[in-house]
Amino acid sequence: MTPSPRVLGFLPGGAAIGADGELVLHRRPLTELAGEFGTPCYLVDEDELRAQARRYLTAFRSRRTQSRVVFASKSFPSTPIYRVLAEEGLSCDVAGTGELELALAAGFAPADVYVHGNAKTEAEIRAAVEHGVGTFVIDNGDDIDRLLRWAPAGQHVMLRVIPEITVATHESMVTGQPESKFGLPGVQAREAIARLARSKLDLVGLHCHVGSQVLDLDSFARIPAALARYGEFAAYNFGGGLGVRYADTDDPPTVEAYAETLTQAAGACLPPSAEILVEPGRSLVARAGLTLYTVATVKRTGRTFVAVDGGMADNLEVVLLDLPMQPAIAARPDGGEVCDVVGRHCESGDRLVRGARLDSPRIGDVLVLPMTGAYSHTTASNYNGALRPPIVLSSAAAGARLAVRRETVEDLFARDRPATEEPR
Ligand SMILES: *Cc1c(COP(=O)(O)O)cnc(C)c1O
């Protein structure tokens, strides 16, 4: 037996090495799935997604009966994903009417929906009120004005405060620092609390979110005390942000350690009857997803560039944040030559992985980019007229099936008005 290739440590539970040494998902070779569904393609291990949802629920409920796990749906806002997580009994965060409509259509009960946003529009608030959503998370005073206008008496709201906890992560993923655009700082938060207490709205609790891809528990341990400063409420939402393992050197806390840290810290300073909420995105969905590409060109110019048939149009966050991803050639997943995996878009910045190790990459190879369940589909664009990839769900019981089709050229024209039409 040769040892398993490194990439398996970054792939979902349904992935394995098949008889001839190539990567499979639920026993189907990835090369075969690429042939059936085309590339680029987002592939989701549904069993892994369900297992992670259950793991989260168990980790919190076993430590605190009054707790809720809320899917931070911006990480993967697509009907099949909403449907699976609604079935597993999670609640759901939305920002904007698009996410709201998707979440409700896929099966989330309005009562389990939390409406976020630092720039909620009047129309958005009205739509959410009409749907009877459970809770609005108020970001600012204008939100209060608008909710007073449109929400019914007794509408549950939470107030987002700035916890003044600056976590160690990428700059654009820090959200709880003193100068954050999200939530209200100390004095203004207190004023908002007083104003809400006198209003028809029912302030059930406080919310904060410190950032994303956070790999240390100390930052999370400080959250309950940061919220306790504002007094006693029925509920406290600690946000999301638990990091995942992209590189060999990343060592994220387990979901259980994260739950233990938060519930312990909450036990020390918050009312025992209060409900606690967490909003995982990345750590819930990242590992369940992978992206399949086809190698289009291999260029050796002193540096080896492996260019694939996608890139920043389908995995923008990977490119922008230079995430230390671990790709592999599906048919020969053991490492080898050091190369840069680049995309097909017209920018030098369009590089998916720097210094990847791939085994003799060549034209036509299927390349798998693991850990792309979070923030991939959601940031996809039509850059260079790219057609956004399909979403394929796979499970041990049902195999692989198309959940969302690839965009077509017709879709690119779908919103155009005829050039000959009279201007309106
Ligand atoms: C993005 C976001 C989350 C989820 O963050 P992850 O790092 O993906 O877990 C949770 N809460 C709020 C308010 C967010 O904006």
Side-chain angles (χ1 to χ4, degrees):
M1 276 292 286
T2 49
S4 295
R6 218 164 54 112
V7 69
L8 277 187
F10 300 92
L11 286 168
I17 301 297
D20 52 3
E22 70 172 309
L23 286 169
V24 299
L25 183 65
H26 301 125
R27 295 202 286 279
R28 295 275 313 272
L30 295 185
T31 50
E32 196 180 297
L33 295 174
E36 181 174 344
F37 299 105
T39 57
C41 172
Y42 300 127
L43 200 51
V44 176
D45 180 339
E46 181 185 338
D47 299 339
E48 171 84 22
L49 185 61
R50 289 185 188 276
Q52 192 66 352
R54 286 172 201 175
R55 193 173 169 190
Y56 251 106
L57 285 172
T58 304
F60 278 89
R61 289 203 179 136
S62 65
R63 291 173 173 83
R64 182 111 175 177
T65 322
Q66 289 284 85
S67 60
R68 235 181 225 261
V69 179
V70 186
F71 167 39
S73 76
K74 73 172 188 287
S75 60
F76 203 156
S78 183
T79 310
I81 309 302
Y82 282 107
R83 187 178 298 129
V84 165
L85 296 175
E87 282 171 12
E88 292 300 332
L90 271 62
S91 300
C92 186
D93 266 5
V94 300
T97 307
E99 287 183 354
L100 174 66
E101 295 291 344
L102 286 168
L104 295 176
F108 279 101
D112 293 333
V113 171
Y114 293 75
V115 178
H116 275 274
N118 69 313
K120 299 181 192 76
T121 66
E122 198 105 2
E124 230 166 271
I125 288 178
R126 290 178 64 180
V129 165
E130 270 160 35
H131 280 299
V133 299
T135 311
F136 285 89
V137 180
I138 291 173
D139 176 87
N140 53 61
D142 299 330
D143 269 358
I144 302 179
D145 295 341
R146 294 185 180 117
L147 283 165
L148 288 174
R149 211 167 306 139
W150 298 110
Q155 170 72 56
H156 283 194
V157 298
M158 297 183 88
L159 178 71
R160 181 163 183 170
V161 302
I162 299 182
E164 303 197 8
I165 297 171
T166 306
V167 295
T169 184
H170 194 282
E171 184 192 13
S172 62
M173 297 201 277
V174 178
T175 52
Q177 77 283 20
E179 308 244 286
S180 177
K181 77 163 180 173
F182 299 105
L184 290 174
V187 174
Q188 282 164 297
R190 285 178 208 284
E191 283 166 7
I193 290 167
R195 183 177 174 206
L196 287 164
R198 296 189 303 268
S199 79
K200 68 172 184 180
L201 303 170
D202 184 1
L203 177 62
V204 295
L206 302 179
H207 172 280
C208 76
H209 172 61
V210 293
S212 197
Q213 186 56 10
V214 178
L215 297 170
D216 70 299
L217 287 173
D218 294 345
S219 303
F220 294 117
R222 293 162 55 202
I223 294 174
L227 297 182
R229 292 185 291 164
Y230 296 97
E232 298 204 348
F233 293 90
Y236 297 86
N237 188 327
F238 302 145
L242 180 62
V244 298
R245 189 165 160 268
Y246 287 117
D248 283 325
T249 49
D250 291 338
D251 187 20
T254 61
V255 170
E256 291 74 19
Y258 169 69
E260 184 65 24
T261 298
L262 281 176
T263 52
Q264 285 281 344
C269 61
L270 297 177
S273 61
E275 181 180 55
I276 67 171
L277 299 88
V278 285
E279 303 170 319
R282 188 183 306 274
S283 57
L284 186 62
V285 300
R287 189 160 179 180
L290 43 123
T291 310
L292 300 181
Y293 293 106
T294 301
V295 173
T297 299
V298 180
K299 194 191 285 181
R300 293 187 170 85
T301 56
R303 226 180 152 79
T304 301
F305 292 103
V306 176
V308 297
D309 57 352
M312 63 195 295
D314 45 74
N315 265 304
L316 183 64
E317 200 202 39
V318 175
V319 169
L320 287 184
L321 304 184
D322 204 9
L323 294 175
M325 303 304 242
Q326 312 289 317
I329 300 294
R332 302 177 303 281
D334 267 319
E337 188 176 353
V338 175
C339 15
D340 284 351
V341 178
V342 297
R344 64 187 312 278
H345 302 290
C346 303
E347 285 195 26
S348 296
D350 181 26
R351 179 186 55 215
L352 289 164
V353 189
R354 188 204 304 254
R357 290 194 158 272
L358 299 176
D359 183 4
S360 354
R362 44 186 183 256
I363 293 174
D365 276 342
V366 172
L367 182 139
V368 51
L369 193 62
M371 299 296 298
T372 48
Y375 302 108
S376 297
H377 153 84
T378 192
T379 55
S381 75
N382 294 121
Y383 191 6
N384 282 145
L387 303 172
R388 280 177 285 195
I391 299 171
V392 173
L393 248 54
S394 177
S395 66
R401 66 271 184 217
L402 187 67
V404 175
R405 66 161 171 79
R406 183 184 309 284
E407 270 185 329
T408 61
V409 170
E410 290 71 47
D411 290 328
L412 295 183
F413 290 106
R415 292 180 300 131
D416 293 359
R417 309 300 305 167
T420 53
E421 194 184 36
E422 290 297 307
R424 299 189 193 215

